[in-house]
């Protein structure tokens, strides 16, 4: 039967589980007065906003909603949204389900999502606060702001069976994801503020081309405020395309003499840091042990950029004058400490 008529299960307070794989239509009062915990309705679209709260009450633990193509945003509350369902443990979705802003926000008991989701453009905070979630499969490579913020047990964000390589990561997308270890950001062109702040287990990847060193490769050109603050498991960082850095990007990623500290930071492009935002925490909190590797000569690009910057110094405010500018280093990597680097107005006299 594809239709549930009016009052069919009305006031059946003891009814906890329904498994109706062919149902596509449900009368408004068909489940009135029930407290369903397990809802298996794989063909139903959950399109009626007046019926959804009756079927999907606060006691809900298991849901098969694989007939749904897309979820709504939480505000305004139109369509299907599961924000705040604190008892929900398992959800089965259609592959490619589009999730919107706060679609599963605060589902702190959710451990399993069967099927792969895709973020809508307005998918901010879609899984924020899902503290029991350990793994999720996604279809796209754009991670919206706050998408997994506070998911403290999340370890795997999979695309086609492999850890995703994001092309864009929004602000606070992985804030305080304290179990997240593996992430390759080499394809990431856009990185938001505090994107990985508090990811205390994050180290990047085991890079086979670098003797399996645990390296975080970052492809974004601009590294924003506190992007990796508190990522205390970082040992090696490779900024592949970065040309500008904001403040405190590696704050609390302390350098040290032992193995359990941030060791090296490499830069492949010339970059600047304005003096009004640079601080002793920009490249770690104890930088006397952290080596900064300046990239070899790239057809004179460093000298060219240095000359351009110096020509403008007379016309800029004091706070905007160049504090660090990595110039060409001929044909060898130049390893310097951050303390040594900041002692020079430019890096020209380090070459």
């Amino acid at each position: 039967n594809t239709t549930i008529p009016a009052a069919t299960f009305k006031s059946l307070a003891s009814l906890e589980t329904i498994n109706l794989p062919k149902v596509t239509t449900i009368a408004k009062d068909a489940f009135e007065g029930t407290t369903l915990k397990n809802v298996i309705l794989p063909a139903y679209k959950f399109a009626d906003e007046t019926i959804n709260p009756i079927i999907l009450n606060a006691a809900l633990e298991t849901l098969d909603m694989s007939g749904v193509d897309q979820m709504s945003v939480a505000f305004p509350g139109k369509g299907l949204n599961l924000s705040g369902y604190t008892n929900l443990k398992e959800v089965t979705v259609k592959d490619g389900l589009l999730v919107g802003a706060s679609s599963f926000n605060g589902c702190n008991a959710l451990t399993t999502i069967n099927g792969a989701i895709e973020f809508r453009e307005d998918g901010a905070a879609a899984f924020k606060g899902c503290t029991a979630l350990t793994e999720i499969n996604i279809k796209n490579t754009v991670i919206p702001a706050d998408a997994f913020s506070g998911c403290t047990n999340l370890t795997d964000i999979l695309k086609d069976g492999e850890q995703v390589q994001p092309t864009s990561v929004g602000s606070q997308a992985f804030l305080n994801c304290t179990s997240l270890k593996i992430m390759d950001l080499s394809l990431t062109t856009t990185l938001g503020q505090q994107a990985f702040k508090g990811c205390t287990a994050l180290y990047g990847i085991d890079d086979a081309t670098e003797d399996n060193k645990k390296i975080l490769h970052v492809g974004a050109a601009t590294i924003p405020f506190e992007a990796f603050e508190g990522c205390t498991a970082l040992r090696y960082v490779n900024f592949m395309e970065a040309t500008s850095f904001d403040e405190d990007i590696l704050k609390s990623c302390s350098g040290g003499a032992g193995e359990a500290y941030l060791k090296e930071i490499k830069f492949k492009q010339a970059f600047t840091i304005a003096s009004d935002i640079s601080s002793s925490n920009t490249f770690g909190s104890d930088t006397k042990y952290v080596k900064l590797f300046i990239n070899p000569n790239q057809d004179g690009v460093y000298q060219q950029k240095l000359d351009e910057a110096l020509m403008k110094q007379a016309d800029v405010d004091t706070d905007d004058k160049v504090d660090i500018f990595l110039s060409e280093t001929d044909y060898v990597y130049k390893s310097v400490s951050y303390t040594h680097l900041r002692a020079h107005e430019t890096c020209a006299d380090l070459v």
Side-chain angles (χ1 to χ4, degrees):
N1 199 330
T2 61
T3 300
I4 305 297
T8 303
F9 300 101
K10 187 174 183 178
S11 299
L12 290 180
S14 62
L15 182 63
E16 293 187 348
T17 300
I18 57 170
N19 188 346
L20 304 167
K22 296 182 180 181
V23 167
T24 57
T25 304
I26 299 175
K28 292 187 183 298
D29 63 346
F31 291 95
E32 188 176 315
T34 61
T35 306
L36 298 174
K37 292 184 178 180
N38 306 294
V39 175
I40 315 300
L41 292 170
Y44 188 63
K45 296 292 186 181
F46 291 93
D48 193 325
E49 300 161 25
T50 62
I51 299 176
N52 289 346
I54 299 173
I55 303 174
L56 307 176
N57 61 81
L60 185 68
E61 296 180 3
T62 305
L63 173 64
D64 186 337
M65 47 174 279
S66 48
V68 177
D69 296 316
Q70 69 175 335
M71 299 179 71
S72 69
V73 298
F75 304 101
K78 294 183 177 181
L80 178 61
N81 186 281
L82 296 170
S83 177
Y85 277 73
T86 57
N87 291 301
L88 184 62
K89 299 176 181 178
E90 181 176 354
V91 177
T92 299
V93 303
K94 179 180 180 179
D95 265 352
L97 171 73
L98 292 172
V99 297
S102 298
S103 288
F104 292 91
N105 190 340
C107 294
N108 54 21
L110 183 63
T111 60
T112 305
I113 300 175
N114 301 309
I117 63 93
E118 183 171 348
F119 290 106
R120 288 171 34 163
E121 289 186 7
D122 59 357
F127 297 94
K128 183 177 182 179
C130 292
T131 54
L133 189 65
T134 60
E135 178 182 302
I136 187 169
N137 289 276
I138 66 176
K139 289 286 190 180
N140 48 354
T141 58
V142 176
I143 312 297
D146 287 305
F148 299 106
S149 178
C151 293
T152 52
N153 282 293
L154 184 66
T155 58
D156 297 305
I157 305 95
L158 304 176
K159 183 178 185 296
D160 300 326
E162 302 287 342
Q163 192 81 326
V164 68
Q165 290 183 264
T167 54
S168 176
V169 181
S171 297
Q172 299 186 350
F174 293 97
L175 179 69
N176 294 329
C177 289
T178 53
S179 297
L180 183 65
K181 296 180 180 180
I182 301 172
M183 186 61 63
D184 185 352
L185 300 176
S186 58
L187 300 182
T188 302
T189 57
T190 305
L191 189 65
Q193 292 188 357
Q194 301 178 331
F196 292 90
K197 181 178 180 179
C199 293
T200 53
L202 179 69
Y203 66 78
I205 62 170
D206 295 295
D207 194 332
T209 67
E210 294 281 350
D211 297 323
N212 287 319
K213 284 183 179 178
K214 297 183 185 301
I215 303 176
L216 179 67
H217 296 285
V218 184
T222 299
I223 311 301
F225 179 66
E226 295 182 348
F228 302 102
E229 179 183 341
C231 295
T232 53
L234 288 177
R235 299 295 175 263
Y236 301 89
V237 182
N238 178 22
F239 291 111
M240 303 166 63
E241 302 294 337
T243 56
S244 65
F245 292 86
D246 209 327
E247 188 176 10
D248 294 344
I249 59 167
L250 290 165
K251 183 178 180 180
S252 301
C253 300
S254 300
E259 287 300 317
Y261 296 97
L262 180 63
K263 295 295 184 185
E264 296 175 359
I265 307 172
K266 287 186 177 181
F267 311 88
K268 291 191 176 181
Q269 301 293 336
F271 69 88
T272 59
I273 298 182
S275 58
D276 62 328
I277 63 170
S278 63
S279 78
S280 60
N281 292 315
T282 300
F283 295 119
S285 299
D286 184 3
T287 51
K288 66 181 179 179
Y289 294 106
V290 181
K291 293 179 180 179
L292 307 186
F293 283 85
I294 306 164
N295 201 49
N297 174 41
Q298 295 177 357
D299 298 324
V301 64
Y302 292 111
Q303 196 63 53
Q304 176 188 341
K305 294 291 186 180
L306 177 61
D307 291 343
E308 291 175 359
L310 292 179
M311 288 292 289
K312 299 176 183 178
Q313 294 304 290
D315 300 321
V316 299
D317 295 336
T318 301
D319 287 343
D320 292 327
K321 289 186 181 297
V322 171
D323 182 47
I324 296 177
F325 200 105
L326 301 188
S327 61
E328 72 174 271
T329 56
D330 296 321
Y331 301 100
V332 295
Y333 278 103
K334 185 72 175 181
S335 172
V336 295
S337 72
Y338 186 47
T339 303
H340 184 201
L341 193 60
R342 285 184 54 81
H344 299 79
E345 181 66 16
T346 75
C347 289
D349 51 350
L350 292 177
V351 179

